[in-house]
Amino acid sequence: MNIEYLRRAIVALSMWLVVASLAVGDEEKPPETHTVAPGPFQVQVDLDGIFESEQMTEIILRPDVF
């Protein structure tokens, strides 16, 4: 998947969530504004797992001294 496509999808989803939350909020007070400045955008995902080769070779270590 193209990383630029993923970034644009995340930004679009975030904007949609902000607009949806403003529509549900109180109509009496004006919404707060926020100025967005351009900057680096990073997506980080932490996963637990093990990488394993499809073909394995046994390695035997027999040191003379421990």
Side-chain angles (χ1 to χ4, degrees):
M1 178 178 277
N2 188 355
I3 191 71
E4 188 63 29
Y5 176 77
L6 181 61
R7 287 180 183 171
R8 289 181 185 193
I10 290 172
V11 170
L13 179 62
S14 300
M15 290 172 55
W16 181 81
L17 289 173
V18 168
V19 170
S21 67
L22 291 176
V24 175
D26 295 332
E27 298 295 326
E28 297 174 7
K29 62 179 182 177
E32 296 180 14
T33 58
H34 180 74
T35 304
V36 178
F41 184 79
Q42 179 180 4
V43 178
Q44 180 177 352
V45 178
D46 296 326
L47 303 172
D48 292 330
I50 298 173
F51 290 99
E52 191 173 276
S53 175
E54 291 181 8
Q55 298 177 351
M56 295 188 194
T57 303
E58 183 177 1
I59 299 175
I60 299 173
L61 297 176
R62 295 185 181 140
D64 293 334
V65 179
F66 284 97

